[in-house]
Coordinates of all heavy atoms in Angstrom, one line a residue:
L229 N -168.7 281.3 -45.6 CA -167.3 281.4 -45.9 C -166.7 280.1 -46.3 O -167.2 279.0 -45.9 CB -166.6 282.1 -44.7 CG -167.0 283.5 -44.4 CD1 -166.3 283.9 -43.1 CD2 -166.7 284.5 -45.5
D233 N -161.2 280.8 -45.4 CA -161.6 282.1 -44.8 C -161.8 281.9 -43.3 O -161.6 282.9 -42.6 CB -163.0 282.5 -45.4 CG -162.9 282.9 -46.9 OD1 -161.9 283.4 -47.4 OD2 -163.9 282.7 -47.6
D234 N -162.4 280.8 -42.9 CA -162.9 280.7 -41.6 C -161.8 280.3 -40.5 O -162.1 279.9 -39.4 CB -164.0 279.6 -41.6 CG -164.9 279.8 -40.3 OD1 -165.0 280.9 -39.8 OD2 -165.5 278.8 -39.9
Q235 N -160.5 280.4 -40.9 CA -159.5 280.1 -39.9 C -159.5 281.2 -38.8 O -159.6 282.4 -39.1 CB -158.1 280.1 -40.6 CG -157.9 279.1 -41.7 CD -156.6 279.2 -42.4 OE1 -155.5 278.9 -41.8 NE2 -156.6 279.8 -43.6
H236 N -159.3 280.8 -37.6 CA -159.3 281.8 -36.5 C -158.1 282.7 -36.7 O -158.2 283.9 -36.3 CB -159.1 281.0 -35.2 CG -160.5 280.6 -34.6 ND1 -161.3 281.4 -34.0 CD2 -161.1 279.4 -34.7 CE1 -162.4 280.7 -33.6 NE2 -162.3 279.5 -34.1
A237 N -157.0 282.2 -37.4 CA -155.9 283.1 -37.6 C -156.1 284.3 -38.5 O -155.4 285.2 -38.5 CB -154.7 282.2 -38.1
L238 N -157.2 284.2 -39.3 CA -157.6 285.3 -40.2 C -158.6 286.2 -39.6 O -159.1 287.1 -40.4 CB -158.0 284.7 -41.5 CG -157.0 283.8 -42.3 CD1 -157.6 283.4 -43.6 CD2 -155.7 284.6 -42.5
R239 N -159.0 286.1 -38.4 CA -160.0 287.0 -37.8 C -159.3 288.3 -37.4 O -159.1 288.5 -36.2 CB -160.7 286.3 -36.7 CG -161.6 285.1 -37.1 CD -162.5 284.7 -36.0 NE -163.3 283.5 -36.4 CZ -164.3 283.0 -35.7 NH1 -164.6 283.5 -34.6 NH2 -164.9 281.9 -36.1
Y240 N -158.9 289.1 -38.3 CA -158.3 290.4 -38.0 C -158.4 291.2 -39.3 O -158.8 290.8 -40.4 CB -156.9 290.3 -37.6 CG -155.9 289.9 -38.6 CD1 -155.2 290.9 -39.3 CD2 -155.6 288.5 -39.0 CE1 -154.2 290.5 -40.3 CE2 -154.7 288.2 -39.9 CZ -154.0 289.2 -40.6 OH -153.1 288.9 -41.6
Y241 N -158.1 292.5 -39.1 CA -158.1 293.4 -40.3 C -156.7 293.6 -40.8 O -155.8 294.0 -40.1 CB -158.7 294.8 -39.8 CG -160.2 294.8 -39.6 CD1 -160.7 294.4 -38.4 CD2 -161.1 295.2 -40.5 CE1 -162.0 294.3 -38.1 CE2 -162.4 295.2 -40.3 CZ -162.9 294.8 -39.1 OH -164.3 294.7 -38.8
E242 N -156.6 293.3 -42.1 CA -155.3 293.5 -42.8 C -155.3 294.9 -43.4 O -156.3 295.5 -43.6 CB -155.0 292.5 -43.8 CG -156.0 292.3 -44.9 CD -155.6 291.2 -45.9 OE1 -154.5 290.9 -46.0 OE2 -156.5 290.8 -46.6
T243 N -154.1 295.4 -43.6 CA -154.0 296.9 -43.9 C -153.2 297.0 -45.2 O -152.1 296.4 -45.4 CB -153.2 297.6 -42.8 OG1 -153.9 297.4 -41.6 CG2 -153.2 299.1 -43.1
P278 N -171.5 291.6 -50.4 CA -171.2 291.0 -49.1 C -170.3 291.8 -48.2 O -170.4 291.8 -46.9 CB -170.5 289.6 -49.4 CG -171.1 289.3 -50.8 CD -171.1 290.7 -51.5
V279 N -169.4 292.6 -48.8 CA -168.5 293.5 -48.0 C -169.2 294.5 -47.2 O -168.8 295.0 -46.2 CB -167.4 294.1 -49.0 CG1 -166.5 295.1 -48.2 CG2 -166.6 293.0 -49.7
A280 N -170.4 294.9 -47.7 CA -171.3 295.9 -47.0 C -172.1 295.2 -45.8 O -172.8 295.9 -45.2 CB -172.2 296.6 -48.0
G281 N -171.9 293.9 -45.6 CA -172.7 293.2 -44.6 C -171.9 293.1 -43.3 O -170.9 293.9 -43.0
R282 N -172.2 292.1 -42.5 CA -171.6 291.9 -41.2 C -171.4 290.4 -41.0 O -172.2 289.6 -41.4 CB -172.5 292.5 -40.1 CG -172.7 294.0 -40.1 CD -171.4 294.8 -39.9 NE -171.7 296.2 -39.9 CZ -171.6 297.0 -40.9 NH1 -171.2 296.5 -42.1 NH2 -171.8 298.3 -40.8
L283 N -170.3 290.1 -40.3 CA -170.1 288.7 -39.9 C -170.9 288.3 -38.7 O -171.1 289.1 -37.8 CB -168.6 288.5 -39.6 CG -167.6 288.5 -40.7 CD1 -166.2 288.4 -40.2 CD2 -167.9 287.4 -41.7
R284 N -171.4 287.1 -38.7 CA -172.1 286.5 -37.6 C -171.5 285.1 -37.3 O -171.1 284.4 -38.2 CB -173.6 286.4 -37.9 CG -174.4 285.7 -36.8 CD -175.9 285.9 -37.0 NE -176.3 285.4 -38.3 CZ -176.6 284.1 -38.6 NH1 -176.4 283.2 -37.6 NH2 -176.9 283.6 -39.7
E285 N -171.5 284.8 -36.0 CA -170.9 283.5 -35.6 C -172.1 282.5 -35.4 O -173.0 282.8 -34.6 CB -170.1 283.6 -34.3 CG -169.1 282.5 -34.1 CD -168.1 282.8 -33.0 OE1 -168.6 283.4 -32.0 OE2 -167.0 282.5 -33.1
E286 N -172.0 281.4 -36.0 CA -173.0 280.3 -35.9 C -172.6 279.2 -34.9 O -171.6 279.4 -34.2 CB -173.4 279.7 -37.2 CG -174.1 280.7 -38.1 CD -174.8 280.0 -39.3 OE1 -174.2 279.0 -39.8 OE2 -175.9 280.4 -39.7
G289 N -168.9 278.0 -33.7 CA -168.1 279.1 -33.9 C -167.8 279.4 -35.4 O -166.9 280.2 -35.7
K290 N -168.6 278.8 -36.3 CA -168.4 279.1 -37.7 C -168.9 280.4 -38.1 O -170.0 280.8 -37.7 CB -169.0 277.9 -38.5 CG -168.6 278.0 -40.0 CD -168.9 276.7 -40.7 CE -168.5 276.7 -42.2 NZ -167.0 276.8 -42.3
L291 N -168.2 281.1 -39.0 CA -168.6 282.5 -39.4 C -169.4 282.4 -40.7 O -169.2 281.6 -41.6 CB -167.4 283.3 -39.6 CG -166.5 283.7 -38.4 CD1 -165.4 284.6 -38.9 CD2 -167.3 284.4 -37.4
V292 N -170.4 283.3 -40.8 CA -171.2 283.5 -42.0 C -171.3 285.0 -42.2 O -171.0 285.8 -41.3 CB -172.6 282.9 -41.9 CG1 -172.5 281.4 -41.8 CG2 -173.4 283.5 -40.8
V293 N -171.6 285.4 -43.4 CA -171.8 286.8 -43.7 C -173.3 287.1 -43.9 O -173.9 286.5 -44.8 CB -171.0 287.2 -45.0 CG1 -171.2 288.7 -45.3 CG2 -169.6 286.9 -44.9
E294 N -173.8 288.0 -43.1 CA -175.1 288.5 -43.3 C -175.1 289.7 -44.3 O -174.5 290.7 -43.9 CB -175.8 288.9 -42.0 CG -176.0 287.8 -41.0 CD -177.1 286.8 -41.4 OE1 -177.7 287.0 -42.4 OE2 -177.3 285.8 -40.7
T296 N -176.4 292.6 -45.3 CA -177.4 293.5 -44.7 C -177.3 294.9 -45.4 O -178.2 295.8 -45.1 CB -177.1 293.7 -43.2 OG1 -175.8 294.2 -43.0 CG2 -177.3 292.4 -42.5
E298 N -175.5 297.3 -44.6 CA -175.2 298.3 -43.6 C -174.1 299.3 -44.0 O -174.1 300.4 -43.5 CB -174.9 297.7 -42.3 CG -176.1 296.9 -41.6 CD -175.8 296.3 -40.3 OE1 -175.4 297.0 -39.4 OE2 -175.7 295.0 -40.3
G299 N -173.2 298.8 -44.9 CA -172.2 299.7 -45.4 C -170.8 299.5 -44.8 O -170.6 298.8 -43.8
V300 N -169.9 300.2 -45.3 CA -168.5 300.2 -44.9 C -168.1 301.6 -44.3 O -168.8 302.6 -44.6 CB -167.5 299.8 -46.0 CG1 -167.9 298.5 -46.6 CG2 -167.5 300.9 -47.1
A332 N -159.3 301.6 -36.4 CA -160.0 300.3 -36.6 C -160.3 299.7 -35.2 O -160.8 298.6 -35.2 CB -159.1 299.3 -37.4
G333 N -159.9 300.3 -34.1 CA -160.1 299.7 -32.8 C -159.3 298.5 -32.6 O -158.2 298.4 -33.1
D334 N -159.9 297.5 -32.0 CA -159.2 296.2 -31.8 C -159.3 295.5 -33.2 O -160.4 295.0 -33.6 CB -159.9 295.4 -30.7 CG -159.3 294.0 -30.5 OD1 -158.3 293.7 -31.2 OD2 -159.7 293.3 -29.5
T335 N -158.2 295.4 -33.9 CA -158.1 294.8 -35.2 C -158.4 293.3 -35.2 O -158.5 292.6 -36.2 CB -156.8 295.1 -35.9 OG1 -155.7 294.5 -35.1 CG2 -156.6 296.5 -36.1
R336 N -158.5 292.7 -34.0 CA -158.8 291.2 -33.9 C -160.3 291.0 -33.6 O -160.7 289.8 -33.5 CB -157.9 290.6 -32.9 CG -156.4 290.5 -33.2 CD -155.6 289.9 -32.1 NE -154.2 289.8 -32.5 CZ -153.3 290.8 -32.4 NH1 -153.7 292.0 -31.9 NH2 -152.0 290.6 -32.7
T337 N -161.1 292.0 -33.5 CA -162.5 291.9 -33.3 C -163.2 292.2 -34.6 O -163.2 293.3 -35.1 CB -163.0 292.9 -32.2 OG1 -162.3 292.6 -31.0 CG2 -164.5 292.7 -32.0
V338 N -163.8 291.1 -35.2 CA -164.4 291.3 -36.6 C -165.9 291.1 -36.6 O -166.5 291.4 -37.6 CB -163.7 290.3 -37.6 CG1 -162.2 290.6 -37.6 CG2 -163.9 288.8 -37.1
I339 N -166.5 290.5 -35.6 CA -167.9 290.1 -35.7 C -168.8 291.3 -35.4 O -168.5 292.1 -34.5 CB -168.2 289.0 -34.7 CG1 -167.5 287.7 -35.1 CG2 -169.7 288.7 -34.6 CD1 -167.6 286.6 -34.0
G340 N -169.8 291.6 -36.3 CA -170.7 292.6 -36.1 C -170.2 294.0 -36.4 O -170.8 295.0 -36.1
R341 N -169.0 294.1 -37.1 CA -168.4 295.4 -37.4 C -168.3 295.6 -38.9 O -168.4 294.6 -39.7 CB -167.0 295.5 -36.8 CG -166.9 295.3 -35.3 CD -165.5 295.4 -34.8 NE -164.9 296.7 -35.1 CZ -163.6 296.9 -35.3 NH1 -162.8 296.0 -35.1 NH2 -163.2 298.2 -35.5
P342 N -168.2 296.8 -39.4 CA -167.9 297.0 -40.8 C -166.7 296.2 -41.3 O -165.7 296.1 -40.6 CB -167.6 298.5 -40.9 CG -168.3 299.1 -39.8 CD -168.2 298.1 -38.7
L343 N -166.9 295.6 -42.4 CA -165.8 294.7 -42.9 C -164.7 295.4 -43.6 O -163.7 294.8 -43.9 CB -166.4 293.6 -43.8 CG -167.5 292.7 -43.1 CD1 -168.1 291.8 -44.1 CD2 -166.9 292.0 -41.9
L344 N -164.9 296.7 -44.0 CA -163.9 297.5 -44.6 C -164.0 298.9 -44.0 O -165.1 299.4 -43.8 CB -164.2 297.6 -46.1 CG -163.4 298.7 -46.9 CD1 -161.9 298.3 -46.9 CD2 -163.9 298.9 -48.3
L345 N -162.8 299.4 -43.6 CA -162.7 300.8 -43.1 C -161.7 301.5 -44.0 O -160.5 301.0 -44.1 CB -162.2 300.8 -41.7 CG -163.1 300.0 -40.6 CD1 -162.5 298.6 -40.4 CD2 -163.2 300.8 -39.3
H361 N -158.4 299.2 -44.1 CA -158.4 298.1 -43.2 C -159.5 297.2 -43.7 O -160.7 297.6 -43.7 CB -158.8 298.5 -41.7 CG -157.7 299.3 -41.0 ND1 -156.4 298.9 -40.8 CD2 -157.8 300.6 -40.5 CE1 -155.8 299.8 -40.1 NE2 -156.5 300.9 -40.0
M362 N -159.2 295.9 -44.0 CA -160.2 295.0 -44.5 C -160.1 293.7 -43.7 O -159.1 293.2 -43.4 CB -160.0 294.7 -46.0 CG -161.0 293.8 -46.6 SD -161.8 294.5 -48.0 CE -163.0 293.3 -48.5
C363 N -161.3 293.2 -43.3 CA -161.4 292.0 -42.6 C -160.8 290.9 -43.4 O -161.3 290.6 -44.5 CB -162.9 291.7 -42.2 SG -163.1 290.1 -41.4
H364 N -159.8 290.2 -42.9 CA -159.1 289.1 -43.6 C -160.0 287.9 -43.8 O -159.7 287.1 -44.7 CB -157.8 288.7 -42.8 CG -156.7 288.2 -43.7 ND1 -157.0 287.5 -44.9 CD2 -155.4 288.3 -43.6 CE1 -155.8 287.2 -45.4 NE2 -154.8 287.6 -44.7
S365 N -161.0 287.8 -43.0 CA -161.9 286.6 -43.2 C -162.7 286.7 -44.5 O -163.2 285.7 -45.0 CB -162.9 286.5 -42.0 OG -162.2 286.4 -40.8
I366 N -162.8 287.9 -45.1 CA -163.6 288.2 -46.3 C -162.7 288.1 -47.5 O -163.2 287.7 -48.6 CB -164.3 289.5 -46.2 CG1 -165.3 289.5 -45.1 CG2 -165.0 289.9 -47.5 CD1 -166.5 288.5 -45.3
A367 N -161.5 288.7 -47.4 CA -160.7 288.8 -48.6 C -159.2 288.7 -48.2 O -158.8 289.0 -47.1 CB -160.9 290.1 -49.3
N519 N -160.1 284.3 -49.6 CA -158.8 283.9 -49.3 C -158.4 282.7 -50.1 O -159.1 281.6 -50.1 CB -158.7 283.5 -47.8 CG -158.7 284.8 -46.9 OD1 -157.7 285.5 -46.8 ND2 -159.9 285.1 -46.3
R568 N -159.6 274.1 -37.3 CA -160.3 275.4 -37.1 C -160.6 275.6 -35.6 O -160.6 276.7 -35.1 CB -161.6 275.4 -37.9 CG -162.2 276.8 -37.9 CD -163.4 276.8 -38.8 NE -164.5 276.0 -38.3 CZ -165.4 276.3 -37.4 NH1 -165.3 277.5 -36.9 NH2 -166.3 275.5 -37.0
D610 N -148.6 293.4 -40.2 CA -149.7 294.1 -39.5 C -149.6 293.9 -38.0 O -150.5 294.2 -37.2 CB -151.0 293.5 -39.9 CG -151.5 294.0 -41.3 OD1 -151.0 295.1 -41.7 OD2 -152.2 293.3 -41.9
T612 N -150.0 291.5 -36.4 CA -150.9 290.4 -35.9 C -150.1 289.1 -35.6 O -150.6 288.2 -34.9 CB -152.0 290.1 -36.9 OG1 -151.4 289.9 -38.2 CG2 -153.0 291.3 -37.0

Side-chain angles (χ1 to χ4, degrees):
L229 295 174
D233 295 326
D234 201 29
Q235 300 175 72
H236 279 277
L238 298 185
R239 293 191 183 189
Y240 72 94
Y241 288 82
E242 57 180 338
T243 306
V279 176
R282 299 291 185 267
L283 287 178
R284 176 170 58 82
E285 199 169 41
E286 290 195 327
K290 190 163 182 63
L291 293 181
V292 297
V293 184
E294 296 288 0
T296 59
E298 291 177 67
V300 303
D334 184 354
T335 57
R336 292 178 177 82
T337 300
V338 299
I339 296 172
R341 301 181 62 203
L343 300 176
L344 170 67
L345 301 97
H361 290 299
M362 183 125 181
C363 177
H364 208 330
S365 301
I366 295 296
N519 289 283
R568 195 175 63 81
D610 283 334
T612 53

